[in-house]
Amino acid sequence: MTQDTSTYYVWIGGSCDYGHKERAGGAAVVIENNGSIISRDVISDLHTTEFRMMLTLMIKVMQEIPEGSDIVFLTNAAYIQNFDKAPTSKSANRTNSESKDANSLAISAEPQGRKARANSDLILQCIEEKKRHKSVGVKIVQYHKSPLLIETHNMATEAMAKTRKEFHQKLQ
């Protein structure tokens, strides 16, 4: 891939451990600009998903990158392609009664049985942050051909495991 030197290329990956009751999720970024890696960041939390963590980290990145910039998020997670599409009832993917985790925060105000899009709170924040920049897009890349994407997934997995381990240590 040929990179434009004025564009911020943000490699973003996530990880989630659905097999544990406390379900930890994590996301990580590696940011390139002008041909060099300028920063790395990682977040994780309990009772969430990698998609929620990725959207949260996208918001943080858009807040930190200088206003008026061009940003390209590079990922293999097709879910985040719609980070800038306003939630509608047709875009719903869960109902209030189905929501049992942190994703339900945005949905909990919905009347019983009415559908709402998971992570709509974060998507609305992404839409607002995108307005600060010249352009913001998502490009899907092949995981196995992208060393920096592999790095982000590894960073997210490590952060998620650390969060879960710290949680269990506090319980003892």
Side-chain angles (χ1 to χ4, degrees):
M1 173 177 77
T2 305
Q3 293 188 353
D4 179 331
T5 57
S6 66
T7 300
Y8 289 84
Y9 293 91
V10 183
W11 297 86
I12 185 165
S15 186
C16 189
D17 191 348
Y18 292 98
H20 291 269
K21 188 170 92 173
E22 69 278 356
R23 188 172 63 186
V29 292
V30 175
I31 302 173
E32 291 183 294
N33 182 252
N34 202 21
S36 298
I37 293 173
I38 61 168
S39 70
R40 289 174 168 82
D41 197 4
V42 63
I43 62 171
S44 65
D45 205 353
L46 296 173
H47 309 290
T48 192
T49 66
E50 72 271 27
F51 302 122
R52 189 156 183 84
M53 291 288 91
M54 290 173 76
L55 290 167
T56 301
L57 195 49
M58 288 175 72
I59 292 164
K60 184 177 184 223
V61 166
M62 286 188 280
Q63 289 171 340
E64 293 174 351
I65 289 178
E67 191 168 335
S69 297
D70 292 309
I71 304 170
V72 177
F73 288 95
L74 301 139
T75 186
N76 68 328
Y79 177 88
I80 67 169
Q81 283 181 301
N82 293 322
F83 79 100
D84 61 349
K85 305 294 184 266
T88 67
S89 60
K90 286 191 174 199
S91 66
N93 60 5
R94 58 173 60 230
T95 65
N96 187 39
S97 60
E98 294 169 335
S99 301
K100 294 183 174 112
D101 60 17
N103 290 334
S104 67
L105 294 175
I107 299 168
S108 60
E110 294 286 329
Q112 281 292 343
R114 189 166 172 210
K115 291 185 176 185
R117 184 170 183 183
N119 300 318
S120 60
D121 59 329
L122 296 175
I123 292 168
L124 291 172
Q125 289 179 57
C126 283
I127 291 168
E128 283 304 307
E129 290 304 325
K130 181 181 176 181
K131 292 175 184 176
R132 295 180 56 250
H133 297 286
K134 184 177 172 187
S135 69
V136 180
V138 173
K139 180 176 177 166
I140 302 299
V141 294
Q142 293 180 1
Y143 178 80
H144 66 283
K145 292 186 178 180
S146 309
L148 291 177
L149 187 57
I150 293 169
E151 180 181 338
T152 64
H153 282 274
N154 290 340
M155 290 167 55
T157 300
E158 288 173 22
M160 174 193 73
K162 181 180 177 193
T163 297
R164 188 180 344 88
K165 181 179 178 182
E166 290 170 355
F167 170 75
H168 286 289
Q169 287 174 341
K170 287 178 186 177
L171 291 178
Q172 294 177 359

